Amino acid sequence: MGAKRTDFIATVIIDLIVAAVVGILVFLLAYILISGLPHVSWSFLTGTTDAFSGAGGIGVQLFNSFYLLVLTMLISIPISLGAGIYLAEYAKDNWRTSLIRSAIEVLSSLPSVVVGLFGFLLFVVKFKIGFSVISGAIALTFFNLPLLTRNIEESLSAVPRDQREAGLSLGLSKWKTEIGIILPVALPGIVTGIVLSAGRVFGEAAALIYTAGQSAPVTNFSDWNPMDPASPLNPFRPAETLAVHIWKVNTEGLASNAAQLSAAASAVLIIAVLLFNLGARVLGNFLYRRVTASK
């Protein structure tokens, strides 16, 4: 068999594999959207859920998902940024650095249900915080840290060494060079990673079942005092998210239209995750053009 024929066969096989993967993805997305979108309405997006049957809207669950996402990012981004800068710019190539990277790899490979059980035993039981938004946010921080840290480290490492040498040659300290030159250049990749990790956190369910809880207490959206138990901003209240709600309706829902409710909520979740991914690409390209002054 000639080299050209072998290359042709290999190319066809690779194309078929790629087409199969894309086809499966398109089929799943189309099935979820076609099944769920007809049942999505404004009252469904803003309404409340019946605590017993699971019927009703997903307004509270949708708010809980975004609120928990914001808290998770507020905790995880500063820690990941510091860890990424240290590993990329300051860490020496020795056994300690290798141990840190190995720990990050191990943490990133943990199943989310294990992270949830860890959060349940530590924050809910040991620290007696209970099922709450803050317990879920801290648990998701452990879930999110490896991805963000690795993304920031790789984005910083991808910046050409000439940029560092230029800053140092101008008399800038290493820290000022890092903050004023390297970090802005790496910003498009960092922001893209942050938005993608936000989509991953938004769709997480297993870790939140054991930490944020499976109930959505009635909240007063006219009360924005975080210390009020009825306030939606209270971080110590239980908070059923959209992903957990889908699981709960499928397993415990008593409503006659539980299948339609689950399909509609799944469609909303899929659209939100797709928007996160699309936003990451658009925002990353925009920042890249701004930083590099390219069209």
Side-chain angles (χ1 to χ4, degrees):
M1 186 180 295
K4 290 185 178 180
R5 187 175 181 84
T6 303
D7 179 72
F8 174 77
I9 294 175
T11 303
V12 171
I13 292 174
I14 293 173
D15 289 342
L16 289 175
I17 293 173
V18 172
V21 173
V22 173
I24 293 172
L25 178 62
V26 171
F27 172 77
L28 290 175
L29 291 177
Y31 177 79
I32 294 173
L33 294 177
I34 292 173
S35 301
L37 284 180
H39 306 288
V40 176
S41 62
W42 180 251
S43 61
F44 177 75
L45 293 175
T46 58
T48 58
T49 304
D50 181 76
F52 178 71
S53 65
I58 58 171
V60 176
Q61 287 81 0
L62 203 55
F63 175 83
N64 290 340
S65 297
F66 281 106
Y67 184 42
L68 197 143
L69 172 63
V70 171
L71 288 183
T72 302
M73 288 302 174
L74 287 177
I75 299 172
S76 59
I77 288 177
I79 299 174
S80 300
L81 186 62
I85 292 175
Y86 171 77
L87 290 173
E89 304 296 333
Y90 293 95
K92 297 180 180 179
D93 189 11
N94 52 31
W95 67 270
R96 293 186 183 88
T97 305
S98 299
L99 182 63
I100 293 174
R101 289 198 171 96
S102 298
I104 293 174
E105 293 292 338
V106 171
L107 190 59
S108 65
S109 64
L110 287 177
S112 57
V113 66
V114 175
V115 177
L117 287 172
F118 168 78
F120 171 75
L121 294 174
L122 185 61
F123 305 117
V124 178
V125 177
K126 183 67 176 178
F127 292 161
K128 301 185 185 303
I129 300 177
F131 294 107
S132 60
V133 177
I134 193 65
S135 296
I138 298 175
L140 287 183
T141 296
F142 286 100
F143 180 74
N144 202 33
L145 278 177
L147 176 66
L148 273 181
T149 301
R150 178 55 60 90
N151 167 258
I152 293 173
E153 180 188 0
E154 291 179 352
S155 298
L156 293 173
S157 299
V159 178
R161 187 171 182 81
D162 295 344
Q163 301 273 10
R164 297 171 174 81
E165 294 175 352
L168 295 174
S169 66
L170 292 174
L172 299 177
S173 65
K174 188 173 183 178
W175 175 248
K176 288 186 177 180
T177 301
E178 181 66 31
I179 298 300
I181 298 177
I182 306 304
L183 201 57
V185 175
L187 188 62
I190 293 175
V191 171
T192 300
I194 289 174
V195 178
L196 289 175
S197 67
R200 184 186 181 196
V201 168
F202 189 84
E204 179 55 38
L208 297 177
I209 292 174
Y210 300 102
T211 52
Q214 304 175 41
S215 62
V218 177
T219 54
N220 181 10
F221 283 93
S222 63
D223 181 6
W224 298 101
N225 179 9
M227 305 311 296
D228 194 323
S231 172
L233 296 182
N234 184 355
F236 298 102
R237 64 177 177 86
E240 180 187 60
T241 62
L242 184 58
V244 175
H245 177 69
I246 295 171
W247 171 83
K248 188 176 179 181
V249 169
N250 273 316
T251 57
E252 304 175 5
L254 300 177
S256 59
N257 61 339
Q260 290 80 5
L261 293 173
S262 175
S266 299
V268 173
L269 181 61
I270 286 293
I271 291 173
V273 173
L274 289 176
L275 288 176
F276 276 116
N277 285 269
L278 179 63
R281 182 177 293 274
V282 173
L283 188 58
N285 290 336
F286 171 75
L287 291 175
Y288 178 80
R289 290 194 298 268
R290 290 293 301 270
V291 170
T292 60
S294 60
K295 296 183 180 180

